[in-house]
Amino acid sequence: MKVGVVGTGMVGSSAAFAMVLEGAASELVLVDHNPALAKAQAQDILHATPFSHPVRITAGDYAELAGAGLVVLAAGVAQKPGETRLQLLERNAAVFAAIIPEVLKTAPDAILLIATNPVDVMTDIAARISQLPPGRVMGSGTILDSARFRALLGEHLGVSPKSVHAYVLGEHGDSEVLWWSGATAGSVSVAAMADQLGHPLDQPARDRIDEGVRRAAYHIIAGKGATWFGIGGGLARIAQAIAGDENVLLSVSAPTDQVEGVENVTLSLPRIVGTKGCGALLRPELDDAEKAALKRSAEIPKEASDSLKL
């Protein structure tokens, strides 16, 4: 599958590098408003192909995206001092309004995968600008948060995170909901496995894991300024699922008709991801506290999206 990446900063380039390592694309085209940066990133990543997969990697303009089955949008502007969140959203909406028509002009059949933050609102903006059918626009959503949840649960249990099935739902942000009641390891709940292995998930343990998931970005940003490797891996995983038509459940963000009484909101739920994009979603069986938390989480991107005039 040919994949385009628009925006080749740390997130976009990390996603491209991870796709090469995973063999998630047969061809990669990197596009950036700074062509020299895109070219340098393409050359650097190309030099890793002898150690990974024989992916063809080039840099170019939008015309080079012709034939792409997937285009990752990792472009956006940084927040200015004193700028409100809404003002930042309006500027990023303007960026998407310029980029998306150019992408679809040359790659009309591509799936759009949004990585720009705030990802739920930007995914909603992309869906509104592109007017693509449902499933053809999705955001990385909480795929990274879910990976953090799995990693920390695996560490606590002393098992591989690949044996842990756990999702983070809702907004990719502080209001996200760790779906504790649905988390499993093997064929049992994580709580039951924890008891069997002598590592009970008591409240201090749950609080520590919650902090490690919910506040991870803040800790990483404090140490190195931004996050990019984790989300790069998450974007590559989504690309892999699309290229291989895996029909796998991933916690990606997409427009949703109704979530806990909040209508027409874009957020993350487990969705089937394959060659046509994201399809049917899983409606999680939540306890009362999780339902209330998911409703609160849904209201945040809904309010932000409704405040924007496109």
Side-chain angles (χ1 to χ4, degrees):
M1 179 177 69
K2 181 176 180 178
V3 177
V5 178
V6 180
T8 59
M10 294 308 300
V11 170
S13 60
S14 294
F17 182 52
M19 287 183 216
V20 168
L21 294 181
E22 293 295 328
S26 58
E27 182 179 354
L28 274 168
V29 177
L30 306 188
V31 179
D32 197 276
H33 74 285
N34 179 355
L37 175 62
K39 183 176 181 180
Q41 300 283 33
Q43 289 179 335
D44 197 10
I45 296 170
L46 176 67
H47 300 159
T49 55
F51 312 118
S52 52
H53 293 270
V55 180
R56 181 170 178 263
I57 307 166
T58 58
D61 57 21
Y62 292 108
E64 305 305 318
L65 296 174
L70 172 69
V71 176
V72 178
L73 300 185
V77 294
Q79 193 164 8
K80 297 178 179 178
E83 186 175 39
T84 68
R85 185 169 182 263
L86 180 58
Q87 289 170 329
L88 174 63
L89 279 172
E90 288 173 341
R91 290 202 298 131
N92 270 327
V95 171
F96 271 29
I99 288 174
I100 290 173
E102 293 296 324
V103 170
L104 295 179
K105 187 186 302 181
T106 53
D109 298 323
I111 294 165
L112 300 184
L113 174 55
I114 313 305
T116 305
N117 275 321
V119 70
D120 302 296
V121 183
M122 295 308 298
T123 301
D124 183 72
I125 289 169
R128 289 156 65 184
I129 292 172
S130 69
Q131 294 294 297
L132 289 173
R136 290 269 306 279
V137 180
M138 73 181 89
S140 56
T142 58
I143 193 167
L144 175 55
D145 310 273
S146 296
R148 290 166 174 160
F149 193 18
R150 293 174 61 199
L152 294 177
L153 280 170
E155 185 178 64
H156 179 83
L157 296 170
V159 302
S160 167
K162 290 183 176 291
S163 296
V164 178
H165 301 280
Y167 296 94
V168 175
L169 315 173
E171 177 207 23
H172 172 59
D174 292 343
S175 73
E176 63 191 23
V177 181
L178 279 64
W179 185 20
W180 282 100
S181 67
T184 63
S187 60
V188 300
S189 70
V190 291
M193 176 170 275
D195 289 340
Q196 290 183 38
L197 297 177
H199 305 297
L201 275 167
D202 53 19
Q203 196 57 50
R206 287 176 180 249
D207 290 344
R208 175 178 53 79
I209 291 170
D210 185 282
E211 165 76 12
V213 174
R214 196 181 305 276
R215 305 291 295 176
Y218 295 98
H219 298 311
I220 294 168
I221 290 168
K224 68 174 195 175
T227 68
W228 53 81
F229 293 129
I231 188 57
L235 292 165
R237 179 67 188 96
I238 297 169
Q240 192 175 41
I242 294 169
D245 195 20
E246 293 184 24
N247 290 328
V248 63
L249 279 169
L250 298 174
S251 56
V252 295
S253 183
T256 311
D257 57 355
Q258 184 274 135
V259 178
E260 297 300 327
V262 181
E263 297 182 349
N264 300 319
V265 60
T266 299
L267 46 56
S268 288
L269 292 171
R271 303 172 196 269
I272 297 174
V273 179
T275 193
K276 295 181 180 179
C278 64
L281 61 85
L282 173 68
R283 294 281 182 180
E285 295 182 353
L286 307 173
D287 62 30
D288 289 344
E290 290 167 340
K291 287 180 181 179
L294 184 56
K295 183 177 188 297
R296 289 193 299 273
S297 188
E299 290 169 344
I300 293 172
K302 171 66 173 175
E303 181 180 352
S305 293
D306 286 353
S307 68
L308 286 170
K309 302 294 187 290
L310 296 182

